[in-house]
Amino acid sequence: MPIDPTTALGAELPGQEFSWTPSDVQTYHLGLGAGRDWTDPAELAYLDDRAPRVLPTFATVAPGVRNTGAPRVSMPGVEIDLAKVVHAHQEVVVHRQIPAAGRARSSGRIAEIWDKGSAAVVVQEHTVTDTEGRALWTTRSSIFAKGEGGFGGDRGPSATIETPSRSADFEVLVPTMPQQALLYRMCGDRNPLHSDPAFARAAGFPAPILHGLCTYGIACKTATDTFLEGDTTRVGGFRARFAGVLFPGETLRVRGWQNGGSDLTLSVTAVERDDAPVLADASLTALV
């Protein structure tokens, strides 16, 4: 049985020590499309050689930014074929400003396992601390594994974040490049789903799709630039559910609604496919 919930639920994941440099941060931002306007000082601030702004979603790639092998879905009690897996949701909570260069340690656990009947959802939680033991960020993410449900577990929550019925406070169109996935994979995510046409077809897609975490980062950057004037230090957290795919070269429509406080609700859709949902239940928490 690929999933043994008795073994998996609550299991600790191997700790990891890792480091990153300004070049790693620059590569991540380039993978999101930063620098499209190569003379805009606000864009160039993401690409400074010594002290680039650090978008908090960099936390999603920092531990594996130098990986060159395809990922494996192998955890205590969980062994799943990579072709059956898609990213389901991602959340980052920032505890202190992420420096442009650093060394840290990650510890994690399998926090939840949900049985959706025809599929399973595995939720991981990781906390990252700096060399002095201070918490830098916490990530919480889930994978959706087709064909791995039916083991009699809890179905999990079904709550959603509703977008307001009023007009959005902002709307931004963000084009992606045809080679966007090939560039973003330099951040350490070498899943062939995003680069190998044959693998993508075997997984049920007509062509390689853009990394969900790339779309996630683009949405956070767009909201930060529009809502917070590019001040990455004011982003306290960002979360989203992956509701659909984006093919490299398509255009994202990012709409945002301020909730009267420090939260921003987002809608992210694919323009060329009649605004098909790409991210749902997306929100940014801003620090006052």
Side-chain angles (χ1 to χ4, degrees), residues 65-124:
V65 73
R66 298 188 185 93
N67 290 347
T68 58
R72 295 178 58 212
V73 185
S74 178
M75 295 171 274
V78 177
E79 294 287 343
I80 305 173
D81 182 353
L82 184 63
K84 294 183 177 181
V85 171
V86 293
H87 207 147
H89 103 286
Q90 181 70 52
E91 180 177 3
V92 173
V93 177
V94 182
H95 304 300
R96 61 182 62 245
Q97 182 179 350
I98 301 175
R103 182 176 295 277
R105 179 173 178 80
S106 173
S107 60
R109 65 188 181 97
I110 299 176
E112 304 283 352
I113 299 179
W114 300 328
D115 186 349
K116 300 296 186 180
S118 62
V121 174
V122 180
V123 182
Q124 301 176 59

Side-chain angles (χ1 to χ4, degrees), residues 199-252:
F199 187 95
R201 287 193 296 269
F205 299 100
I209 63 176
L210 189 62
H211 303 70
L213 284 179
C214 183
T215 305
Y216 175 84
I218 291 171
C220 184
K221 180 179 182 298
T222 302
T224 301
D225 291 343
T226 307
F227 181 54
L228 301 176
E229 299 181 334
D231 187 354
T232 57
T233 66
R234 290 187 58 199
V235 181
F238 188 67
R239 60 173 295 179
R241 177 172 59 85
F242 301 103
V245 302
L246 190 80
F247 293 95
E250 291 186 324
T251 303
L252 288 169

Side-chain angles (χ1 to χ4, degrees), residues 64-71 185-192:
V65 73
R66 298 188 185 93
N67 290 347
T68 58
R185 70 195 298 267
M186 296 298 102
C187 299
D189 188 341
R190 306 301 179 98
N191 187 335

Side-chain angles (χ1 to χ4, degrees), residues 118-202:
S118 62
V121 174
V122 180
V123 182
Q124 301 176 59
E125 186 174 274
H126 293 268
T127 298
V128 171
T129 56
D130 64 15
T131 54
E132 297 180 21
R134 300 175 299 183
L136 288 173
W137 67 77
T138 298
T139 61
R140 188 175 173 90
S141 64
S142 63
I143 56 172
F144 184 89
K146 294 175 285 186
E148 302 298 339
F151 51 82
D154 189 341
R155 284 191 59 85
S158 58
T160 61
I161 298 176
E162 297 292 337
T163 56
S165 57
R166 61 181 173 85
S167 298
D169 295 315
F170 69 79
E171 178 177 316
V172 181
L173 297 182
V174 186
T176 63
M177 301 177 290
Q179 69 272 35
Q180 192 98 45
L182 300 178
L183 177 57
Y184 183 83
R185 70 195 298 267
M186 296 298 102
C187 299
D189 188 341
R190 306 301 179 98
N191 187 335
L193 179 62
H194 311 294
S195 60
D196 184 337
F199 187 95
R201 287 193 296 269

